[in-house]
Amino acid sequence: MKSKIFEFRFTVPKSAIDDMDHVNNVVYLQWVQDVAKKHWESGTNEDIRNTYVWVVLNHYIEYHSPAFENDEITLQTWIDNYRGVRSERHTKIINTTTQKVLVSAKTSWCFLHKKSLRPARIPDEIISLFV
């Protein structure tokens, strides 16, 4: 079940630029994680965040086109499905002006109890916050 798309927009800072004068690949990966966190925080309260945490199992990322300093960027993320303790999150990084997809990513996440760091089945009340 696909969740609603969450979006976050910003301007590419100079700190994201590498020696080739475009956004560094590692920065894109950081943005993938940053927008996932923002999405989680937008749908949950402090009590939930103090009880549960997510960890990455793997990332699959495709770089389609470069971004440059001062480009306007839109990050889109959504959860495609939930199974037991896992979820699959998709992210697109888009040039806001041209609407060109710069990066697409798929990340597998594992849901944990924050105190024990043991896997936890994703409860329906958590799923319902994002669908």
Side-chain angles (χ1 to χ4, degrees), residues 12-25:
V12 174
K14 183 170 182 55
S15 62
I17 304 303
D18 64 16
D19 293 341
M20 295 179 65
D21 293 324
H22 59 65
V23 173
N24 185 280
N25 292 358

Side-chain angles (χ1 to χ4, degrees), residues 2 27 49 88 107-109:
K2 184 176 176 180
V27 173
R49 292 190 300 273
E88 182 179 279
T107 305
S108 294
W109 292 85

Side-chain angles (χ1 to χ4, degrees), residues 4-72:
K4 296 174 258 177
I5 294 174
F6 175 82
E7 287 192 351
F8 178 72
R9 293 184 177 159
F10 64 97
T11 301
V12 174
K14 183 170 182 55
S15 62
I17 304 303
D18 64 16
D19 293 341
M20 295 179 65
D21 293 324
H22 59 65
V23 173
N24 185 280
N25 292 358
V26 174
V27 173
Y28 287 118
L29 185 57
Q30 184 63 57
W31 292 346
V32 167
Q33 293 210 162
D34 291 347
V35 75
K37 182 178 179 184
K38 286 180 185 306
H39 189 205
W40 170 247
E41 290 174 347
S42 76
T44 58
N45 59 37
E46 189 174 342
D47 186 49
I48 291 170
R49 292 190 300 273
N50 286 335
T51 305
Y52 300 106
V53 66
W54 292 94
V55 294
V56 171
L57 298 173
N58 61 59
H59 290 289
Y60 176 77
I61 189 164
E62 288 185 78
Y63 302 98
H64 305 289
S65 190
F68 303 94
E69 184 178 358
N70 296 319
D71 281 356
E72 294 294 322

Side-chain angles (χ1 to χ4, degrees), residues 55-113:
V55 294
V56 171
L57 298 173
N58 61 59
H59 290 289
Y60 176 77
I61 189 164
E62 288 185 78
Y63 302 98
H64 305 289
S65 190
F68 303 94
E69 184 178 358
N70 296 319
D71 281 356
E72 294 294 322
I73 300 294
T74 300
L75 301 177
Q76 294 180 339
T77 192
W78 64 93
I79 301 162
D80 198 22
N81 59 58
Y82 308 84
R83 291 179 309 276
V85 301
R86 294 179 178 216
S87 75
E88 182 179 279
R89 176 179 290 279
H90 294 262
T91 305
K92 285 186 182 178
I93 301 175
I94 301 165
N95 180 304
T96 307
T97 304
T98 66
Q99 290 300 296
K100 187 171 190 174
V101 175
L102 307 175
V103 170
S104 54
K106 180 171 68 173
T107 305
S108 294
W109 292 85
C110 184
F111 193 64
L112 305 177
H113 286 283

